[in-house]
């Protein structure tokens, strides 16, 4: 008893912990409103991730550090949740994220055509972002718009009953 | 897109086509919040549960479990807080009814939740909405603020001693969170992994407290049940499937939409060929998936001339299931091998990774589908797919595994010609 079998060495290089992100008073009070909904802080993790994502473009390491501090969780707890959910972006995405629904009802009515049209128009493949960081193109699973197929979600906005003309109108009118 | 009732007076869709239908004012002028008033004035929690039992209302999320019975499992003597959680994670391919209920009649959901909360003694309640439906969360937040300002939420609701709060909550793109225990894991701030049952949520749900999780369509049926009485509601449908049901219709039909039909509507052929305007572009019907993507696919000859009754029992007799009521209609040009591959990719993407049969099984299914599609099909592949499905169905931790297996099992058995075409080298040529 008492014999040390394995001695854990501290790392011989400095562990890089990013400074946590900082937000405006307005955003902080928005976060407080979410926290007030739940008896347990951790429950607010997804709503807060969306806020960090909105403010910083994606859930970056300083954003993760911020959430860990704010929710009194470990950084690994935040990553563990972040990597489960497809809407939480842990890498930068374009300013406009085109998410074409590829599931059956949309596929039956021409989702592939819409994806190809977007791909050709923007000069990127599915999963890529334009060089200027303006557009990302993804294929996603059913978005509950089957009766108005085909469709894509442009950031959070639904664009339904799509034709190539409607895709042009939607993308060309963006600021 | 069509939204309305066929074969009955619209009940849950009564207000959806009115101007400003989502406002408190329009809701109240059209019978809204009368049910909660009746409950608070004259009914005990047990009275409410009894009416819901009498109504033969069955859970509209997909499983079809009797709602009144689910409510009665919540222990009355538990000192713990109780929760009502609305499952608005609508993600079953082919299903979009809840979206329109919330978009156009959010107060009906609030009233349904208030009544459920009263019956179960729940103070804090949540609406778990899929993250992609952010605009619906915004609509619900506005409606909740309206209700709060009108004394319909908070302390002393409508002057009674009943206190209740309802909050919105967002998911973030995980189909599995529509499974009620995975939803609760997610609502607690964890990965959306399902939990072992028992204990069922009624005993140990959100924060290990007694919890009822009900679908949007289920909860929005409750105000009418209270107003007309459980018995009258049941009589709109059949003995075991009371009331009306919303069906989402998509694919190759002339009139896609959300249709409210009495339970037990006769019959499926008339519904598709007449009510939904028939098959688009003058084509012939080939196949229908009637209950969201997770149920058995039906051949046209299982529908045409077969008088398939549209309720829980009728669709089982007809060879499928009600599920979430999402009709995906396919015309003669569809290759069922391809449509099944599309759905299998969905289940692979959405498998949460918790248990081996589903995580590995759905991955292998997609690999086999891709090999066949690439021209590498072998005659024994149809049996290989079935064997793999046998090792997923009933052997996964939660029903997602069954949901992945059923579409393939039924497609291979009911459309062997579409599979054989690919397995004998006559399919798509190798790239």
């Amino acid at each position: 008893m008492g014999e040390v079998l394995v001695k854990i060495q501290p790392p011989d290089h400095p562990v890089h912990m990013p400074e946590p992100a900082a937000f405006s008073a307005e955003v902080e009070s928005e976060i407080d409103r979410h926290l007030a909904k739940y008896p347990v802080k951790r429950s607010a993790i997804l709503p807060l991730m969306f806020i960090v994502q909105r403010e910083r473009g994606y859930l970056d390491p300083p954003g993760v550090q911020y959430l860990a501090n704010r929710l009194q969780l470990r950084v690994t707890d935040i990553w563990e949740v972040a990597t489960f959910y497809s809407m939480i972006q842990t890498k930068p995405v374009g300013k406009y994220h085109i998410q074409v629904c590829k599931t059956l009802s949309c596929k039956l009515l021409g989702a592939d055509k819409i994806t190809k049209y977007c791909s050709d128009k923007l000069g990127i493949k599915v999963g890529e972002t334009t060089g200027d960081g303006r557009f990302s193109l993804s294929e996603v699973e059913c978005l509950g718009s089957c009766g108005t197929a085909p469709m894509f979600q442009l950031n959070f906005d639904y664009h339904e009953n799509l034709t190539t003309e409607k895709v042009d109108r939607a993308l060309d009118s963006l600021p | 897109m069509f939204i309305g009732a066929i074969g009955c007076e619209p009940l849950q869709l009564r207000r959806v086509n009115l101007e400003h239908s989502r406002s408190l004012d329009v809701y109240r002028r059209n019978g809204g919040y009368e049910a909660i008033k009746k409950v608070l004035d004259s009914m005990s929690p047990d009275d409410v549960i009894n009416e819901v039992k009498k109504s033969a209302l069955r859970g509209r999320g997909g499983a079809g479990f009797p709602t009144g019975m689910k409510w009665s499992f919540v222990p009355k003597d538990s000192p713990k807080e109780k929760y009502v959680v609305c499952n608005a994670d609508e993600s079953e391919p082919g299903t979009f009814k809840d979206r329109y209920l919330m978009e156009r009649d959010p107060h009906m959901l609030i009233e349904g939740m208030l009544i459920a909360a009263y019956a179960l003694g729940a103070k804090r309640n949540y609406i778990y909405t899929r993250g992609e439906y952010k605009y619906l969360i915004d609509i619900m937040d506005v409606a909740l603020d309206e209700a709060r300002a009108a004394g319909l939420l908070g302390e002393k609701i409508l002057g009674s001693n009943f206190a209740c709060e309802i909050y919105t909550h967002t998911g973030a793109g995980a189909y599995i969170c529509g499974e009620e225990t995975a939803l609760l894991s997610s609502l607690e701030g964890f990965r959306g992994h399902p939990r072992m049952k028992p204990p069922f949520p009624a005993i140990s749900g959100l924060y290990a407290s007694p919890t009822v999780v009900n679908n949007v369509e289920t909860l929005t049926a409750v105000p009418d049940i209270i107003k007309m009485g459980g018995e009258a509601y049941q009589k709109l449908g059949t003995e075991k499937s009371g009331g009306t049901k919303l069906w989402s219709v998509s694919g190759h039909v002339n009139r896609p939409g959300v249709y409210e039909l009495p339970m037990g509507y006769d019959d499926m052929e008339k519904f598709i060929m007449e009510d939904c305007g028939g098959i688009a572009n003058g084509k012939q019907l080939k196949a229908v998936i009637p209950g969201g993507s997770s149920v058995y696919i039906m051949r046209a000859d299982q529908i045409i001339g077969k008088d398939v009754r549209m309720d829980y029992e009728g669709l089982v007799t007809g060879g499928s299931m009600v599920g979430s009521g999402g009709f995906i209609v396919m015309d003669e040009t569809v290759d069922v091998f391809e449509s099944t591959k599309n759905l299998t990719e969905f289940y692979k993407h959405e498998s949460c990774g918790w248990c081996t049969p589903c995580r590995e099984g759905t991955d292998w299914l997609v690999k086999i589908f891709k090999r066949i599609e690439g021209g590498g099909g072998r005659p024994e592949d149809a049996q290989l797919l079935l064997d793999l499905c046998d090792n997923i169905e009933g052997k996964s931790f939660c029903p997602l595994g069954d949901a992945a297996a059923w579409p393939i099992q039924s497609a291979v058995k009911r459309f062997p010609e579409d599979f054989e075409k690919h397995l004998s080298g006559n399919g798509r040529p190798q790239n």
Side-chain angles (χ1 to χ4, degrees), chain B residues 109-127:
Chain B
L109 176 57
I110 296 173
E111 186 172 14
M113 285 187 75
L114 281 171
I115 297 167
Y118 174 83
L120 302 166
K123 302 269 178 296
R124 262 176 199 255
N125 309 283
Y126 297 96
I127 305 171

Side-chain angles (χ1 to χ4, degrees), chain B residues 22-274:
Chain B
R22 69 175 76 137
S23 71
L24 174 61
D25 184 44
V26 169
Y27 187 65
R28 278 198 143 154
R29 276 194 279 122
N30 290 279
Y33 291 114
E34 284 170 11
I36 185 66
K37 187 164 187 342
K38 179 176 171 185
V39 163
L40 294 176
D41 284 351
S42 62
M43 293 173 82
S44 72
D46 279 342
D47 293 341
V48 174
I49 294 175
N50 281 334
E51 281 312 312
V52 175
K53 276 186 176 167
K54 274 192 247 167
S55 75
L57 173 66
R58 296 173 62 167
R60 303 288 197 240
F65 192 81
T67 305
M69 202 187 288
K70 196 175 200 178
W71 290 11
S72 68
F73 292 155
V74 170
K76 289 186 183 51
D77 49 359
S78 170
K80 291 182 179 172
E81 253 205 76
K82 298 174 188 74
Y83 296 96
V84 171
V85 177
C86 171
N87 184 345
D89 194 53
E90 182 169 72
S91 317
E92 176 78 7
T95 314
F96 45 96
K97 61 195 172 63
D98 296 343
R99 180 181 160 198
Y100 291 98
L101 288 172
M102 292 167 81
E103 179 185 302
R104 302 198 183 186
D105 208 348
H107 284 283
M108 181 165 57
L109 176 57
I110 296 173
E111 186 172 14
M113 285 187 75
L114 281 171
I115 297 167
Y118 174 83
L120 302 166
K123 302 269 178 296
R124 262 176 199 255
N125 309 283
Y126 297 96
I127 305 171
Y128 184 107
T129 309
R130 65 180 299 184
E132 293 90 340
Y133 283 175
K134 181 179 182 299
Y135 84 103
L136 292 181
I137 299 177
D138 296 341
I139 288 172
M140 287 308 310
D141 279 335
V142 169
L144 287 166
D145 283 344
E146 272 186 309
R148 212 166 279 129
L152 292 156
L153 280 175
E155 301 294 320
K156 299 202 173 298
I157 291 171
L158 295 174
S160 71
N161 283 323
F162 176 52
C164 178
E165 255 308 338
I166 299 173
Y167 303 103
T168 54
H169 182 85
T170 181
Y175 169 72
I176 188 62
C177 294
E179 194 281 329
E180 63 177 3
T181 62
L183 184 152
L184 296 174
S185 299
S186 179
L187 183 47
E188 290 177 5
F190 292 89
R191 291 166 77 92
H193 289 308
R195 302 172 180 173
M196 183 66 88
K197 292 195 270 193
F200 287 90
I203 308 298
S204 180
L206 185 61
Y207 311 124
S209 295
T211 303
V212 160
V213 184
N214 280 148
N215 171 259
V216 174
E217 189 189 341
T218 312
L219 286 165
T220 52
V222 172
D224 279 313
I225 291 171
I226 296 300
K227 271 196 287 184
M228 67 170 66
E231 218 163 296
Y233 180 87
Q234 178 268 315
K235 289 208 168 99
L236 295 173
T238 64
E239 192 191 331
K240 287 184 184 162
S241 310
T244 61
K245 164 92 192 100
L246 302 186
W247 303 85
S248 318
V249 182
S250 65
H252 296 139
V253 286
N254 280 317
R255 207 162 61 138
V258 179
Y259 290 78
E260 181 170 18
L261 305 180
M263 275 289 189
Y265 184 79
D266 262 340
D267 70 319
M268 197 165 155
E269 178 185 355
K270 178 179 173 293
F271 177 57
I272 296 167
M273 293 308 190
E274 293 173 29

Side-chain angles (χ1 to χ4, degrees), chain A residues 9-22:
Chain A
Q9 297 283 346
D12 56 3
H13 53 83
V15 178
H16 179 66
M17 299 291 272
E19 280 296 304

Side-chain angles (χ1 to χ4, degrees), chain A residues 37-38 42-43 50 80-81 83-87 102 104-105 107-108 141-144 146-147 153 158 160, chain B residues 94 96 99 124 126 130 132-133 168-169 171-173 186-187 189-192 207 250 252 342 345-346:
Chain A
K37 293 178 179 180
Y38 311 98
R42 183 170 181 144
S43 279
F50 277 114
E80 178 190 292
V81 171
T83 52
F84 184 83
Y85 295 93
S86 63
M87 291 182 76
K102 69 178 276 278
L104 190 52
S105 297
K107 187 183 164 69
L108 291 175
E141 297 293 353
C142 187
L143 291 174
C146 323
Q153 202 171 12
Y158 275 57
E160 306 174 70
Chain B
F96 45 96
R99 180 181 160 198
R124 262 176 199 255
Y126 297 96
R130 65 180 299 184
E132 293 90 340
Y133 283 175
T168 54
H169 182 85
S186 179
L187 183 47
F190 292 89
R191 291 166 77 92
Y207 311 124
S250 65
H252 296 139
N342 177 280
E345 285 171 340
F346 171 82

